[in-house]
mmCIF file with all atom_site columns, all heavy atoms in Angstrom:
data_model
loop_
_atom_site.group_PDB
_atom_site.id
_atom_site.type_symbol
_atom_site.label_atom_id
_atom_site.label_alt_id
_atom_site.label_comp_id
_atom_site.label_asym_id
_atom_site.label_entity_id
_atom_site.label_seq_id
_atom_site.pdbx_PDB_ins_code
_atom_site.Cartn_x
_atom_site.Cartn_y
_atom_site.Cartn_z
_atom_site.occupancy
_atom_site.B_iso_or_equiv
_atom_site.pdbx_formal_charge
_atom_site.auth_seq_id
_atom_site.auth_comp_id
_atom_site.auth_asym_id
_atom_site.auth_atom_id
_atom_site.pdbx_PDB_model_num
ATOM 1   N N   . GLU A 1 2   ? -122.702 325.198 158.618 1.00 48.00 ? 2   GLU A N   1
ATOM 2   C CA  . GLU A 1 2   ? -122.890 325.897 157.339 1.00 48.00 ? 2   GLU A CA  1
ATOM 3   C C   . GLU A 1 2   ? -121.708 326.801 157.025 1.00 48.00 ? 2   GLU A C   1
ATOM 4   O O   . GLU A 1 2   ? -121.180 326.782 155.922 1.00 48.00 ? 2   GLU A O   1
ATOM 5   C CB  . GLU A 1 2   ? -124.184 326.715 157.384 1.00 48.00 ? 2   GLU A CB  1
ATOM 6   C CG  . GLU A 1 2   ? -125.440 325.887 157.205 1.00 48.00 ? 2   GLU A CG  1
ATOM 7   C CD  . GLU A 1 2   ? -125.499 325.188 155.860 1.00 48.00 ? 2   GLU A CD  1
ATOM 8   O OE1 . GLU A 1 2   ? -125.277 325.839 154.838 1.00 48.00 ? 2   GLU A OE1 1
ATOM 9   O OE2 . GLU A 1 2   ? -125.735 323.965 155.833 1.00 48.00 ? 2   GLU A OE2 1
ATOM 10  N N   . ASP A 1 9   ? -117.374 324.060 150.170 1.00 92.00 ? 9   ASP A N   1
ATOM 11  C CA  . ASP A 1 9   ? -118.138 324.237 148.925 1.00 92.00 ? 9   ASP A CA  1
ATOM 12  C C   . ASP A 1 9   ? -117.245 324.784 147.812 1.00 92.00 ? 9   ASP A C   1
ATOM 13  O O   . ASP A 1 9   ? -117.346 324.367 146.665 1.00 92.00 ? 9   ASP A O   1
ATOM 14  C CB  . ASP A 1 9   ? -119.315 325.198 149.163 1.00 92.00 ? 9   ASP A CB  1
ATOM 15  C CG  . ASP A 1 9   ? -120.437 324.536 149.956 1.00 92.00 ? 9   ASP A CG  1
ATOM 16  O OD1 . ASP A 1 9   ? -120.484 323.293 149.998 1.00 92.00 ? 9   ASP A OD1 1
ATOM 17  O OD2 . ASP A 1 9   ? -121.243 325.268 150.547 1.00 92.00 ? 9   ASP A OD2 1
ATOM 18  N N   . ILE A 1 10  ? -116.393 325.734 148.177 1.00 94.00 ? 10  ILE A N   1
ATOM 19  C CA  . ILE A 1 10  ? -115.460 326.301 147.187 1.00 94.00 ? 10  ILE A CA  1
ATOM 20  C C   . ILE A 1 10  ? -114.531 325.217 146.659 1.00 94.00 ? 10  ILE A C   1
ATOM 21  O O   . ILE A 1 10  ? -114.279 325.103 145.458 1.00 94.00 ? 10  ILE A O   1
ATOM 22  C CB  . ILE A 1 10  ? -114.651 327.465 147.810 1.00 94.00 ? 10  ILE A CB  1
ATOM 23  C CG1 . ILE A 1 10  ? -115.572 328.658 148.090 1.00 94.00 ? 10  ILE A CG1 1
ATOM 24  C CG2 . ILE A 1 10  ? -113.502 327.889 146.896 1.00 94.00 ? 10  ILE A CG2 1
ATOM 25  C CD1 . ILE A 1 10  ? -114.946 329.769 148.917 1.00 94.00 ? 10  ILE A CD1 1
ATOM 26  N N   . LYS A 1 14  ? -114.258 323.721 142.900 1.00 89.00 ? 14  LYS A N   1
ATOM 27  C CA  . LYS A 1 14  ? -112.972 323.788 142.200 1.00 89.00 ? 14  LYS A CA  1
ATOM 28  C C   . LYS A 1 14  ? -112.532 322.423 141.685 1.00 89.00 ? 14  LYS A C   1
ATOM 29  O O   . LYS A 1 14  ? -112.057 322.288 140.557 1.00 89.00 ? 14  LYS A O   1
ATOM 30  C CB  . LYS A 1 14  ? -111.879 324.364 143.122 1.00 89.00 ? 14  LYS A CB  1
ATOM 31  C CG  . LYS A 1 14  ? -111.981 325.853 143.337 1.00 89.00 ? 14  LYS A CG  1
ATOM 32  C CD  . LYS A 1 14  ? -110.781 326.399 144.103 1.00 89.00 ? 14  LYS A CD  1
ATOM 33  C CE  . LYS A 1 14  ? -109.578 326.591 143.203 1.00 89.00 ? 14  LYS A CE  1
ATOM 34  N NZ  . LYS A 1 14  ? -108.467 327.285 143.879 1.00 89.00 ? 14  LYS A NZ  1
ATOM 35  N N   . MET A 1 17  ? -114.647 321.370 138.766 1.00 81.00 ? 17  MET A N   1
ATOM 36  C CA  . MET A 1 17  ? -114.396 322.155 137.556 1.00 81.00 ? 17  MET A CA  1
ATOM 37  C C   . MET A 1 17  ? -112.972 321.968 137.027 1.00 81.00 ? 17  MET A C   1
ATOM 38  O O   . MET A 1 17  ? -112.596 322.586 136.042 1.00 81.00 ? 17  MET A O   1
ATOM 39  C CB  . MET A 1 17  ? -114.589 323.651 137.844 1.00 81.00 ? 17  MET A CB  1
ATOM 40  C CG  . MET A 1 17  ? -115.937 324.026 138.412 1.00 81.00 ? 17  MET A CG  1
ATOM 41  S SD  . MET A 1 17  ? -117.302 323.539 137.372 1.00 81.00 ? 17  MET A SD  1
ATOM 42  C CE  . MET A 1 17  ? -117.036 324.576 135.965 1.00 81.00 ? 17  MET A CE  1
ATOM 43  N N   . GLU A 1 19  ? -110.325 322.937 138.548 1.00 89.00 ? 19  GLU A N   1
ATOM 44  C CA  . GLU A 1 19  ? -109.580 324.154 138.875 1.00 89.00 ? 19  GLU A CA  1
ATOM 45  C C   . GLU A 1 19  ? -108.684 323.979 140.104 1.00 89.00 ? 19  GLU A C   1
ATOM 46  O O   . GLU A 1 19  ? -107.934 324.887 140.453 1.00 89.00 ? 19  GLU A O   1
ATOM 47  C CB  . GLU A 1 19  ? -110.565 325.303 139.146 1.00 89.00 ? 19  GLU A CB  1
ATOM 48  C CG  . GLU A 1 19  ? -111.383 325.731 137.950 1.00 89.00 ? 19  GLU A CG  1
ATOM 49  C CD  . GLU A 1 19  ? -110.655 326.745 137.076 1.00 89.00 ? 19  GLU A CD  1
ATOM 50  O OE1 . GLU A 1 19  ? -109.567 327.195 137.476 1.00 89.00 ? 19  GLU A OE1 1
ATOM 51  O OE2 . GLU A 1 19  ? -111.175 327.069 135.999 1.00 89.00 ? 19  GLU A OE2 1
ATOM 52  N N   . TYR A 1 41  ? -121.665 314.491 152.573 1.00 89.00 ? 41  TYR A N   1
ATOM 53  C CA  . TYR A 1 41  ? -121.820 315.890 152.149 1.00 89.00 ? 41  TYR A CA  1
ATOM 54  C C   . TYR A 1 41  ? -121.171 316.100 150.772 1.00 89.00 ? 41  TYR A C   1
ATOM 55  O O   . TYR A 1 41  ? -121.776 316.683 149.867 1.00 89.00 ? 41  TYR A O   1
ATOM 56  C CB  . TYR A 1 41  ? -121.180 316.820 153.180 1.00 89.00 ? 41  TYR A CB  1
ATOM 57  C CG  . TYR A 1 41  ? -121.386 318.290 152.899 1.00 89.00 ? 41  TYR A CG  1
ATOM 58  C CD1 . TYR A 1 41  ? -122.520 318.953 153.358 1.00 89.00 ? 41  TYR A CD1 1
ATOM 59  C CD2 . TYR A 1 41  ? -120.451 319.019 152.170 1.00 89.00 ? 41  TYR A CD2 1
ATOM 60  C CE1 . TYR A 1 41  ? -122.717 320.299 153.098 1.00 89.00 ? 41  TYR A CE1 1
ATOM 61  C CE2 . TYR A 1 41  ? -120.636 320.366 151.906 1.00 89.00 ? 41  TYR A CE2 1
ATOM 62  C CZ  . TYR A 1 41  ? -121.766 321.003 152.380 1.00 89.00 ? 41  TYR A CZ  1
ATOM 63  O OH  . TYR A 1 41  ? -121.960 322.340 152.115 1.00 89.00 ? 41  TYR A OH  1
ATOM 64  N N   . SER A 1 45  ? -123.167 316.632 147.247 1.00 84.00 ? 45  SER A N   1
ATOM 65  C CA  . SER A 1 45  ? -122.890 317.887 146.536 1.00 84.00 ? 45  SER A CA  1
ATOM 66  C C   . SER A 1 45  ? -122.552 317.617 145.076 1.00 84.00 ? 45  SER A C   1
ATOM 67  O O   . SER A 1 45  ? -123.009 318.327 144.173 1.00 84.00 ? 45  SER A O   1
ATOM 68  C CB  . SER A 1 45  ? -121.724 318.633 147.199 1.00 84.00 ? 45  SER A CB  1
ATOM 69  O OG  . SER A 1 45  ? -122.088 319.062 148.478 1.00 84.00 ? 45  SER A OG  1
ATOM 70  N N   . TYR A 1 48  ? -125.600 316.912 142.991 1.00 73.00 ? 48  TYR A N   1
ATOM 71  C CA  . TYR A 1 48  ? -126.346 318.115 142.606 1.00 73.00 ? 48  TYR A CA  1
ATOM 72  C C   . TYR A 1 48  ? -125.583 318.915 141.562 1.00 73.00 ? 48  TYR A C   1
ATOM 73  O O   . TYR A 1 48  ? -126.158 319.477 140.642 1.00 73.00 ? 48  TYR A O   1
ATOM 74  C CB  . TYR A 1 48  ? -126.564 319.020 143.826 1.00 73.00 ? 48  TYR A CB  1
ATOM 75  C CG  . TYR A 1 48  ? -127.553 318.482 144.826 1.00 73.00 ? 48  TYR A CG  1
ATOM 76  C CD1 . TYR A 1 48  ? -127.159 318.174 146.117 1.00 73.00 ? 48  TYR A CD1 1
ATOM 77  C CD2 . TYR A 1 48  ? -128.879 318.273 144.472 1.00 73.00 ? 48  TYR A CD2 1
ATOM 78  C CE1 . TYR A 1 48  ? -128.068 317.687 147.044 1.00 73.00 ? 48  TYR A CE1 1
ATOM 79  C CE2 . TYR A 1 48  ? -129.788 317.780 145.390 1.00 73.00 ? 48  TYR A CE2 1
ATOM 80  C CZ  . TYR A 1 48  ? -129.380 317.495 146.682 1.00 73.00 ? 48  TYR A CZ  1
ATOM 81  O OH  . TYR A 1 48  ? -130.270 317.006 147.572 1.00 73.00 ? 48  TYR A OH  1
ATOM 82  N N   . CYS A 1 52  ? -125.902 320.124 136.899 1.00 63.00 ? 52  CYS A N   1
ATOM 83  C CA  . CYS A 1 52  ? -126.006 321.570 136.662 1.00 63.00 ? 52  CYS A CA  1
ATOM 84  C C   . CYS A 1 52  ? -124.943 322.056 135.695 1.00 63.00 ? 52  CYS A C   1
ATOM 85  O O   . CYS A 1 52  ? -125.053 323.149 135.137 1.00 63.00 ? 52  CYS A O   1
ATOM 86  C CB  . CYS A 1 52  ? -125.858 322.337 137.975 1.00 63.00 ? 52  CYS A CB  1
ATOM 87  S SG  . CYS A 1 52  ? -127.196 322.033 139.115 1.00 63.00 ? 52  CYS A SG  1
ATOM 88  N N   . LEU A 1 54  ? -123.890 320.236 133.037 1.00 52.00 ? 54  LEU A N   1
ATOM 89  C CA  . LEU A 1 54  ? -124.009 319.604 131.721 1.00 52.00 ? 54  LEU A CA  1
ATOM 90  C C   . LEU A 1 54  ? -124.843 320.443 130.764 1.00 52.00 ? 54  LEU A C   1
ATOM 91  O O   . LEU A 1 54  ? -125.665 321.214 131.180 1.00 52.00 ? 54  LEU A O   1
ATOM 92  C CB  . LEU A 1 54  ? -124.633 318.212 131.880 1.00 52.00 ? 54  LEU A CB  1
ATOM 93  C CG  . LEU A 1 54  ? -123.817 317.227 132.687 1.00 52.00 ? 54  LEU A CG  1
ATOM 94  C CD1 . LEU A 1 54  ? -124.580 315.918 132.858 1.00 52.00 ? 54  LEU A CD1 1
ATOM 95  C CD2 . LEU A 1 54  ? -122.473 316.946 132.031 1.00 52.00 ? 54  LEU A CD2 1
ATOM 96  N N   . SER B 2 146 ? -119.112 329.935 133.289 1.00 84.00 ? 146 SER B N   1
ATOM 97  C CA  . SER B 2 146 ? -118.413 328.665 133.479 1.00 84.00 ? 146 SER B CA  1
ATOM 98  C C   . SER B 2 146 ? -119.156 327.533 132.779 1.00 84.00 ? 146 SER B C   1
ATOM 99  O O   . SER B 2 146 ? -118.570 326.768 132.030 1.00 84.00 ? 146 SER B O   1
ATOM 100 C CB  . SER B 2 146 ? -118.300 328.362 134.984 1.00 84.00 ? 146 SER B CB  1
ATOM 101 O OG  . SER B 2 146 ? -117.758 327.093 135.183 1.00 84.00 ? 146 SER B OG  1
ATOM 102 N N   . ARG B 2 147 ? -120.476 327.482 132.989 1.00 79.00 ? 147 ARG B N   1
ATOM 103 C CA  . ARG B 2 147 ? -121.261 326.370 132.452 1.00 79.00 ? 147 ARG B CA  1
ATOM 104 C C   . ARG B 2 147 ? -121.408 326.426 130.941 1.00 79.00 ? 147 ARG B C   1
ATOM 105 O O   . ARG B 2 147 ? -121.175 325.456 130.239 1.00 79.00 ? 147 ARG B O   1
ATOM 106 C CB  . ARG B 2 147 ? -122.649 326.343 133.087 1.00 79.00 ? 147 ARG B CB  1
ATOM 107 C CG  . ARG B 2 147 ? -123.456 325.146 132.645 1.00 79.00 ? 147 ARG B CG  1
ATOM 108 C CD  . ARG B 2 147 ? -124.914 325.258 132.998 1.00 79.00 ? 147 ARG B CD  1
ATOM 109 N NE  . ARG B 2 147 ? -125.615 324.007 132.695 1.00 79.00 ? 147 ARG B NE  1
ATOM 110 C CZ  . ARG B 2 147 ? -126.923 323.917 132.509 1.00 79.00 ? 147 ARG B CZ  1
ATOM 111 N NH1 . ARG B 2 147 ? -127.678 324.975 132.602 1.00 79.00 ? 147 ARG B NH1 1
ATOM 112 N NH2 . ARG B 2 147 ? -127.478 322.758 132.233 1.00 79.00 ? 147 ARG B NH2 1
ATOM 113 N N   . TYR B 2 153 ? -111.664 329.709 135.502 1.00 92.00 ? 153 TYR B N   1
ATOM 114 C CA  . TYR B 2 153 ? -111.851 330.746 136.520 1.00 92.00 ? 153 TYR B CA  1
ATOM 115 C C   . TYR B 2 153 ? -111.057 332.016 136.153 1.00 92.00 ? 153 TYR B C   1
ATOM 116 O O   . TYR B 2 153 ? -111.564 333.132 136.281 1.00 92.00 ? 153 TYR B O   1
ATOM 117 C CB  . TYR B 2 153 ? -111.365 330.238 137.886 1.00 92.00 ? 153 TYR B CB  1
ATOM 118 C CG  . TYR B 2 153 ? -112.331 329.323 138.627 1.00 92.00 ? 153 TYR B CG  1
ATOM 119 C CD1 . TYR B 2 153 ? -113.440 328.743 137.995 1.00 92.00 ? 153 TYR B CD1 1
ATOM 120 C CD2 . TYR B 2 153 ? -112.124 329.025 139.969 1.00 92.00 ? 153 TYR B CD2 1
ATOM 121 C CE1 . TYR B 2 153 ? -114.295 327.908 138.681 1.00 92.00 ? 153 TYR B CE1 1
ATOM 122 C CE2 . TYR B 2 153 ? -112.991 328.176 140.665 1.00 92.00 ? 153 TYR B CE2 1
ATOM 123 C CZ  . TYR B 2 153 ? -114.070 327.619 140.019 1.00 92.00 ? 153 TYR B CZ  1
ATOM 124 O OH  . TYR B 2 153 ? -114.927 326.786 140.702 1.00 92.00 ? 153 TYR B OH  1
ATOM 125 N N   . GLU B 2 168 ? -113.918 332.115 142.607 1.00 95.00 ? 168 GLU B N   1
ATOM 126 C CA  . GLU B 2 168 ? -113.984 330.900 143.429 1.00 95.00 ? 168 GLU B CA  1
ATOM 127 C C   . GLU B 2 168 ? -115.128 331.010 144.438 1.00 95.00 ? 168 GLU B C   1
ATOM 128 O O   . GLU B 2 168 ? -115.892 330.063 144.636 1.00 95.00 ? 168 GLU B O   1
ATOM 129 C CB  . GLU B 2 168 ? -112.666 330.703 144.191 1.00 95.00 ? 168 GLU B CB  1
ATOM 130 C CG  . GLU B 2 168 ? -111.509 330.300 143.307 1.00 95.00 ? 168 GLU B CG  1
ATOM 131 C CD  . GLU B 2 168 ? -110.214 330.182 144.108 1.00 95.00 ? 168 GLU B CD  1
ATOM 132 O OE1 . GLU B 2 168 ? -110.254 330.283 145.346 1.00 95.00 ? 168 GLU B OE1 1
ATOM 133 O OE2 . GLU B 2 168 ? -109.163 329.993 143.474 1.00 95.00 ? 168 GLU B OE2 1
ATOM 134 N N   . ASN B 2 169 ? -115.229 332.176 145.082 1.00 95.00 ? 169 ASN B N   1
ATOM 135 C CA  . ASN B 2 169 ? -116.284 332.375 146.079 1.00 95.00 ? 169 ASN B CA  1
ATOM 136 C C   . ASN B 2 169 ? -117.673 332.292 145.447 1.00 95.00 ? 169 ASN B C   1
ATOM 137 O O   . ASN B 2 169 ? -118.588 331.694 146.014 1.00 95.00 ? 169 ASN B O   1
ATOM 138 C CB  . ASN B 2 169 ? -116.114 333.727 146.772 1.00 95.00 ? 169 ASN B CB  1
ATOM 139 C CG  . ASN B 2 169 ? -114.909 333.751 147.691 1.00 95.00 ? 169 ASN B CG  1
ATOM 140 O OD1 . ASN B 2 169 ? -114.440 332.705 148.139 1.00 95.00 ? 169 ASN B OD1 1
ATOM 141 N ND2 . ASN B 2 169 ? -114.381 334.927 147.965 1.00 95.00 ? 169 ASN B ND2 1
ATOM 142 N N   . LEU B 2 175 ? -122.740 326.603 144.183 1.00 89.00 ? 175 LEU B N   1
ATOM 143 C CA  . LEU B 2 175 ? -122.880 325.193 144.566 1.00 89.00 ? 175 LEU B CA  1
ATOM 144 C C   . LEU B 2 175 ? -123.832 325.061 145.754 1.00 89.00 ? 175 LEU B C   1
ATOM 145 O O   . LEU B 2 175 ? -124.741 324.229 145.745 1.00 89.00 ? 175 LEU B O   1
ATOM 146 C CB  . LEU B 2 175 ? -121.506 324.602 144.922 1.00 89.00 ? 175 LEU B CB  1
ATOM 147 C CG  . LEU B 2 175 ? -121.512 323.228 145.590 1.00 89.00 ? 175 LEU B CG  1
ATOM 148 C CD1 . LEU B 2 175 ? -122.050 322.169 144.641 1.00 89.00 ? 175 LEU B CD1 1
ATOM 149 C CD2 . LEU B 2 175 ? -120.107 322.834 146.037 1.00 89.00 ? 175 LEU B CD2 1
ATOM 150 N N   . LYS B 2 176 ? -123.620 325.901 146.761 1.00 89.00 ? 176 LYS B N   1
ATOM 151 C CA  . LYS B 2 176 ? -124.471 325.860 147.960 1.00 89.00 ? 176 LYS B CA  1
ATOM 152 C C   . LYS B 2 176 ? -125.932 326.148 147.596 1.00 89.00 ? 176 LYS B C   1
ATOM 153 O O   . LYS B 2 176 ? -126.840 325.412 147.999 1.00 89.00 ? 176 LYS B O   1
ATOM 154 C CB  . LYS B 2 176 ? -123.978 326.866 148.992 1.00 89.00 ? 176 LYS B CB  1
ATOM 155 C CG  . LYS B 2 176 ? -124.822 326.932 150.248 1.00 89.00 ? 176 LYS B CG  1
ATOM 156 C CD  . LYS B 2 176 ? -124.400 328.077 151.159 1.00 89.00 ? 176 LYS B CD  1
ATOM 157 C CE  . LYS B 2 176 ? -125.203 328.088 152.456 1.00 89.00 ? 176 LYS B CE  1
ATOM 158 N NZ  . LYS B 2 176 ? -126.657 328.126 152.260 1.00 89.00 ? 176 LYS B NZ  1
ATOM 159 N N   . ARG B 2 179 ? -127.557 323.405 145.518 1.00 85.00 ? 179 ARG B N   1
ATOM 160 C CA  . ARG B 2 179 ? -127.835 322.231 146.368 1.00 85.00 ? 179 ARG B CA  1
ATOM 161 C C   . ARG B 2 179 ? -129.116 322.474 147.174 1.00 85.00 ? 179 ARG B C   1
ATOM 162 O O   . ARG B 2 179 ? -129.968 321.596 147.274 1.00 85.00 ? 179 ARG B O   1
ATOM 163 C CB  . ARG B 2 179 ? -126.644 321.982 147.293 1.00 85.00 ? 179 ARG B CB  1
ATOM 164 C CG  . ARG B 2 179 ? -126.686 320.649 148.022 1.00 85.00 ? 179 ARG B CG  1
ATOM 165 C CD  . ARG B 2 179 ? -125.418 320.434 148.822 1.00 85.00 ? 179 ARG B CD  1
ATOM 166 N NE  . ARG B 2 179 ? -125.143 321.585 149.660 1.00 85.00 ? 179 ARG B NE  1
ATOM 167 C CZ  . ARG B 2 179 ? -123.940 322.161 149.789 1.00 85.00 ? 179 ARG B CZ  1
ATOM 168 N NH1 . ARG B 2 179 ? -122.906 321.665 149.154 1.00 85.00 ? 179 ARG B NH1 1
ATOM 169 N NH2 . ARG B 2 179 ? -123.770 323.205 150.566 1.00 85.00 ? 179 ARG B NH2 1
ATOM 170 N N   . LEU B 2 182 ? -132.217 322.469 144.772 1.00 81.00 ? 182 LEU B N   1
ATOM 171 C CA  . LEU B 2 182 ? -132.513 321.202 144.094 1.00 81.00 ? 182 LEU B CA  1
ATOM 172 C C   . LEU B 2 182 ? -132.681 320.040 145.057 1.00 81.00 ? 182 LEU B C   1
ATOM 173 O O   . LEU B 2 182 ? -132.795 318.898 144.623 1.00 81.00 ? 182 LEU B O   1
ATOM 174 C CB  . LEU B 2 182 ? -131.396 320.881 143.080 1.00 81.00 ? 182 LEU B CB  1
ATOM 175 C CG  . LEU B 2 182 ? -131.208 321.910 141.955 1.00 81.00 ? 182 LEU B CG  1
ATOM 176 C CD1 . LEU B 2 182 ? -129.979 321.564 141.116 1.00 81.00 ? 182 LEU B CD1 1
ATOM 177 C CD2 . LEU B 2 182 ? -132.435 321.961 141.050 1.00 81.00 ? 182 LEU B CD2 1
ATOM 178 N N   . LYS B 2 183 ? -132.712 320.315 146.356 1.00 77.00 ? 183 LYS B N   1
ATOM 179 C CA  . LYS B 2 183 ? -132.716 319.216 147.319 1.00 77.00 ? 183 LYS B CA  1
ATOM 180 C C   . LYS B 2 183 ? -133.930 318.298 147.195 1.00 77.00 ? 183 LYS B C   1
ATOM 181 O O   . LYS B 2 183 ? -133.843 317.111 147.520 1.00 77.00 ? 183 LYS B O   1
ATOM 182 C CB  . LYS B 2 183 ? -132.605 319.750 148.755 1.00 77.00 ? 183 LYS B CB  1
ATOM 183 C CG  . LYS B 2 183 ? -133.754 320.605 149.207 1.00 77.00 ? 183 LYS B CG  1
ATOM 184 C CD  . LYS B 2 183 ? -133.471 321.144 150.596 1.00 77.00 ? 183 LYS B CD  1
ATOM 185 C CE  . LYS B 2 183 ? -134.578 322.125 151.002 1.00 77.00 ? 183 LYS B CE  1
ATOM 186 N NZ  . LYS B 2 183 ? -134.265 322.834 152.233 1.00 77.00 ? 183 LYS B NZ  1
ATOM 187 N N   . LEU B 2 189 ? -132.097 313.787 139.917 1.00 62.00 ? 189 LEU B N   1
ATOM 188 C CA  . LEU B 2 189 ? -130.710 314.040 139.524 1.00 62.00 ? 189 LEU B CA  1
ATOM 189 C C   . LEU B 2 189 ? -129.917 312.743 139.450 1.00 62.00 ? 189 LEU B C   1
ATOM 190 O O   . LEU B 2 189 ? -129.100 312.545 138.557 1.00 62.00 ? 189 LEU B O   1
ATOM 191 C CB  . LEU B 2 189 ? -130.052 315.004 140.512 1.00 62.00 ? 189 LEU B CB  1
ATOM 192 C CG  . LEU B 2 189 ? -130.660 316.420 140.542 1.00 62.00 ? 189 LEU B CG  1
ATOM 193 C CD1 . LEU B 2 189 ? -130.103 317.213 141.707 1.00 62.00 ? 189 LEU B CD1 1
ATOM 194 C CD2 . LEU B 2 189 ? -130.382 317.150 139.246 1.00 62.00 ? 189 LEU B CD2 1
ATOM 195 N N   . PHE B 2 192 ? -130.868 311.053 136.362 1.00 55.00 ? 192 PHE B N   1
ATOM 196 C CA  . PHE B 2 192 ? -130.221 311.729 135.240 1.00 55.00 ? 192 PHE B CA  1
ATOM 197 C C   . PHE B 2 192 ? -128.768 311.277 135.099 1.00 55.00 ? 192 PHE B C   1
ATOM 198 O O   . PHE B 2 192 ? -128.292 310.977 134.003 1.00 55.00 ? 192 PHE B O   1
ATOM 199 C CB  . PHE B 2 192 ? -130.281 313.238 135.474 1.00 55.00 ? 192 PHE B CB  1
ATOM 200 C CG  . PHE B 2 192 ? -129.623 314.036 134.392 1.00 55.00 ? 192 PHE B CG  1
ATOM 201 C CD1 . PHE B 2 192 ? -130.297 314.353 133.230 1.00 55.00 ? 192 PHE B CD1 1
ATOM 202 C CD2 . PHE B 2 192 ? -128.312 314.470 134.536 1.00 55.00 ? 192 PHE B CD2 1
ATOM 203 C CE1 . PHE B 2 192 ? -129.687 315.085 132.230 1.00 55.00 ? 192 PHE B CE1 1
ATOM 204 C CE2 . PHE B 2 192 ? -127.698 315.203 133.543 1.00 55.00 ? 192 PHE B CE2 1
ATOM 205 C CZ  . PHE B 2 192 ? -128.383 315.509 132.392 1.00 55.00 ? 192 PHE B CZ  1
#
Side-chain angles (χ1 to χ4, degrees):
Chain A
E2 283 298 311
D9 286 340
I10 291 170
K14 285 187 80 172
M17 304 303 294
E19 295 275 354
Y41 185 87
S45 294
Y48 289 117
C52 294
L54 297 176
Chain B
S146 174
R147 185 193 187 201
Y153 281 14
E168 289 177 7
N169 289 338
L175 169 65
K176 178 188 183 305
R179 191 175 51 225
L182 299 174
K183 64 184 174 189
L189 295 170
F192 179 84

